[in-house]
Amino acid sequence: MAGRDQRPAASAAHGRGQGRGEARLIITLWERSRGGRMRRMLSAVLVVAIPLGLVAAEATPQAAAVYLDPAYSPAERAADLVSRMTLPEKASQMISSMSAAIPRLGVAAYGWWNEAAHGVAREQTNDGDQPPNLTNTTSYPVSLSLGSTWNPGLVNREASLISDEAREIVRENRLDLDFYTPTVNLARDPRWGRNDETFGEDPMLTATLAAQFVNGLQGPPENGYYKAIATLKHYAANNSESNRLRGSSDMDERTLREYYTAQFRDVIRWSHPGSMMSAYNSVNGVPSAANSHLMETLARQTYGFDGYFTSDCDAIYEIMAGQNWLPPGQGPLDQYGRTAVALKAGEDLDCNMGYHDEWHYANTIPDAVQRGLISEDTVDVSLVRLFTARMALGEFDAERQVPWVAQARKRLAPGTWVNEESNKAVTQTPERLAMARQVADESIVLLRNQGNLLPLKTGKRIAVIGTFADPGELYLGGYSSNQTHSGTANSVTGVQGLQKAYSVDFLPGTMPGNLDVVDPAAVKAAKDYDAVIVYAGTDRETASEDHDRATLALPGAQAELIRQVAAANPRTIVYLETVGQVDVSPFAGQVPAILWSSFNGQRKGEALTDVISGAVAPSGRLPFTWYADERQLPPMEDYAIRPSGGSPGRTYQYFSGKIAYPFGYGLSYTTFTYSPMVFDGSRIKATVTNAGNVKGAEVVQLYATTPDSPKVGERPRKRLIGFQKVFLDPHQSAEVTIPVNTADLAFYDEKAKAFRLDPGRIGLQLSTSSAEKDIKQRVYASVSTPPAPTPAVVTAKPGRVQFPVGAHIDPHPTVAYSDQSIRDTSVGYQSNRPSVVEVTPTGLIARAPGVATITLTAGDAHGTFVVKVVDPS
């Protein structure tokens, strides 16, 4: 967060914020937590206007503290606060469950591990334990459903509502606001147990949607404050549960940069995520939690990430316990050694609850420093990043100064929300429930509609068959809040939704308590209805965190149930609500209509009814390739993407085998026509027309190919480089414009250590999916020689935050260029407080006590770092 817009300094001559004419007094309050189960130290900041001449140092020792002065930037305030801590106090702040209170400095206990993947779901209020699930908060469709909408604006709006609700319920409306979300790992294999947490298999689609999720969750920085902090996870190449703790994801550097980290790079570029989570797994033999190539070289120096890194929960423990990693030139690690290697690699926060022992940052950092394994300066660097995030959330400022606090309290009186049924689901507002329904509407993908069976006229007498249509407990996916009576009352099952539009009889379809046996009575009854909807699905028993799928088959006898029902009633509609792709080959040719979504949130039954009835035309598109046969797939632990040997490759970019449905595919109740595409060298334009008689949405997809590349056999068949979702009334037209950026057409050259364009033409395909048959327009164009790479990211690594008066400060700058190469480049410097840090012909000199922000410039690129100058006496 250090790179966020800097607020004006109080004055270059007042390095400790003495120009504001007021002091701040710290008051510590004992307050009973909501629910009364524990007591904890909380802090409040009281702003009192006092003429400077009347401030007595002995009465208010913090009166001149920079960290309490919002005229300084969050990073400057963080540097000042950290400088006031002892080493044990510093260490106590670097764990997620929970960072300790420091009453003398007005620092509250803080929980970092909070969850909000598809609705705010956990708050870290347990000191020394995992965060409890929240009760009756709004639960939206999971990320894979959100990815199926292909609607960045919708993603932004949903995420904004999530963080609004978070602000209403977290302690004091100002604590525990860092959320371990969104997951931006790619759905490279349909058997992965966490595919429902992803946005899809494609880096560009994922980055576009995830960037809008980050923007919505964090909010526009009102008065300079963020609403919440988003954490991108799991960095990087974390796509198999079978070996996620101890395995190594091995690949060449090209695959790492073009696929497994490309979405992280672009989310950093297109939004400003405050945090990233390193993964459990190793990458090329180096644990992610101790991988300086991933965290420092790529994320910070090349991609420009300036927030803090957190480990996955007890991934630092797993460096030693699970992976038994030996750093080059070192022997086996103990608890102090593992702390040192992680911290030196850039791991700022230790998520210390999960697979763990009794050791963590809080109780190992002081000894690691004493043993000479790590310096206190390195501790300071990490801790400043953590407190920069907390400062940016407004935690240390008067509540009247932080708009997000006031807005939350206007919506919900402070102190009234409790994490139990007695909250009456008050935060599940009509607006939020309507958003859950809209996202679910747009997520449903129509895979098949033979004979235009859909939409199905309302008022029909139908049978709804399948236990997932009306379960005792609605499955909402991983990282969901708990729904008790009030939340359940706001939830809509498939049967409940369909009953609003049809005369419905519900039949479980399998024998009571046994999903493995078809109920013949249900099959017999099916033939007498105007239509039948078979609602099939998966749940946590099929796949989840720590549990991959061994097969893509529908659990139990569901496929056989569909087959038998379809034989009994030719007007059979299948709805699949699943973790991802399932095998449809046993019945796909027998049923006229198939719909799919992932776990579709609290209002899933309304959305299903909207689409089946035609109140909403289906507009979801597959964010992954639906493979025809799982036996074609390489082993889960094989992280290669390109075809090699007997492997057909992975994803629409490279897969050469047979597919059931292509990436980007989805049908509608209307048809769309395209005008000829025009490419002017920087963008394509085309007019899309709704040629049908019902309102609908089209997802216009732009793919690029490199047909003349000398390495064509190693290049993807095509790559998504842009898309736009347009909503059109019958016979309405809209012009679609999609930019074409030359940089998006480059590939990583491992010899040059940079991205380079292949010679020859590029092909541009305007399409409705990645399949060749769905291409609407195609043009070939020569790409002009791109301009010479220019500086894009400038970073500094001075190795410390605090410098004594008179010290020379060496920033150790790094300049990454637009081709993602790192080059030796001259860098200019500017200090916002020359009286504290002066820029001289010989370098940067610490002149006087205070804080200063140094701006580094190379070409048009800028970076910053913060210095705290102290009096050595």
Side-chain angles (χ1 to χ4, degrees), residues 10 88 121 261-262 346 421 505 521 538 635 669 691 762:
T261 65
E421 163 58 24
D505 288 335
T538 64
Y669 294 156
I762 61 164

Side-chain angles (χ1 to χ4, degrees), residues 502-539:
Y502 303 97
S503 174
V504 173
D505 288 335
F506 171 60
L507 305 170
T510 52
M511 300 305 290
N514 190 348
L515 195 63
D516 296 328
V517 180
V518 174
D519 180 2
V523 174
K524 182 178 179 180
K527 63 183 178 63
D528 296 326
Y529 291 89
D530 296 330
V532 177
I533 298 172
V534 181
Y535 193 129
T538 64
D539 58 18

Side-chain angles (χ1 to χ4, degrees), residues 39 264 467:
R39 300 175 71 90
F264 289 94
T467 60

